[in-house]
Amino acid sequence: RIAVIYRPERLRGNDLNIDFRIGVFDIISGRTDDLALPPLPSDCSPKPSGITELARLPNGALGFIFFCHGRGLSGTMYVWDNSKNSFIKLQNLPNFLPRSFSFSPNMSQFIVENGKGDGLNNELYLVDSEKTIKQVVQGFKRAGSPAWSPDGTIIAFAGTKEYPGDSDITTWDDIESQLYHPWDIYVMDTDLRNVRI
């Protein structure tokens, strides 16, 4: 089976009420069924705000982030519960513009990207088994696209170190220049130490 995010109708003009859905396509039968989504908070605007980063998790379940534009940016991580045949809330991500994420193989923790600054200052955060959120990898201009190794020993991510003059943003040219700073691939141990290119 294949799960996809889709909209049943084309976006028209400035219509921001985009009806995002998750459909599951059965390759054998050729049938597509929608999964029941949790309701978004009533103060999200536009409504619904959207689904992002639909992924198969290490335990075989589906996971995704519902993001809400309302009282500041926020997101909520949901995972599919086979026993209840529905999505359950795993973690609120307040004041986040949630992007890519990666779970540890045993599903006890995950790293999620906060896309603050429209790509200029993306940060990575670890959500542990106690649901505590803490920033990881200091000293980077931006970091994103985390990936946990299947054996659980290493975390990889894309990152850009600070460049001289990065704090002097005064023009659009400065912003464009920073957007084109090169990304490198880094790895670190799962205790979040020993970061190396």
Side-chain angles (χ1 to χ4, degrees):
R1 296 192 301 164
I2 302 170
V4 295
I5 301 170
Y6 78 99
R7 290 193 313 258
E9 294 185 17
R10 230 181 126 112
L11 184 63
R12 294 187 191 96
N14 293 323
D15 182 12
L16 296 176
N17 293 313
I18 306 169
D19 186 13
F20 285 102
R21 300 183 186 182
I22 295 177
V24 177
F25 174 70
D26 189 296
I27 297 172
I28 296 172
S29 70
R31 179 178 160 177
T32 300
D33 293 309
D34 287 347
L35 298 180
L37 296 176
L40 278 164
S42 60
D43 62 348
C44 288
S45 177
K47 303 174 186 177
S49 291
I51 301 166
T52 185
E53 306 299 333
L54 178 67
R56 182 183 187 274
L57 307 181
N59 65 358
L62 283 178
F64 74 96
I65 293 174
F66 236 162
F67 63 89
C68 169
H69 293 269
R71 299 176 189 165
L73 297 169
S74 64
T76 305
M77 166 73 70
Y78 287 92
V79 296
W80 184 256
D81 186 332
N82 278 326
S83 65
K84 296 180 179 178
N85 203 34
S86 64
F87 284 104
I88 59 169
K89 184 189 298 183
L90 180 68
Q91 181 73 39
N92 284 325
L93 300 166
N95 302 313
F96 263 62
L97 184 58
R99 295 285 191 243
S100 56
F101 61 84
S102 181
F103 276 83
S104 62
N106 65 6
M107 295 285 295
S108 64
Q109 49 192 338
F110 68 95
I111 289 184
V112 61
E113 177 183 349
N114 183 9
K116 63 180 271 190
D118 293 326
L120 278 176
N121 307 108
N122 299 28
E123 298 170 339
L124 292 178
Y125 289 81
L126 175 73
V127 181
D128 63 22
S129 57
E130 303 297 320
K131 310 296 186 189
T132 302
I133 303 173
K134 68 176 179 180
Q135 187 180 354
V136 298
V137 295
Q138 306 293 325
F140 281 79
K141 178 68 182 174
R142 57 189 176 188
S145 303
W148 220 293
S149 66
D151 64 2
T153 61
I154 289 177
I155 300 165
F157 65 95
T160 300
K161 287 281 196 176
E162 293 278 358
Y163 275 63
D166 273 354
S167 59
D168 304 325
I169 298 179
T170 56
T171 68
W172 284 108
D173 287 339
D174 295 335
I175 294 172
E176 184 178 35
S177 174
Q178 290 197 25
L179 282 171
Y180 288 109
H181 284 351
W183 292 85
D184 291 308
I185 303 299
Y186 292 84
V187 293
M188 62 183 166
D189 300 337
T190 50
D191 62 3
L192 310 180
R193 298 178 183 174
N194 192 22
V195 178
R196 62 258 187 213
I197 194 167

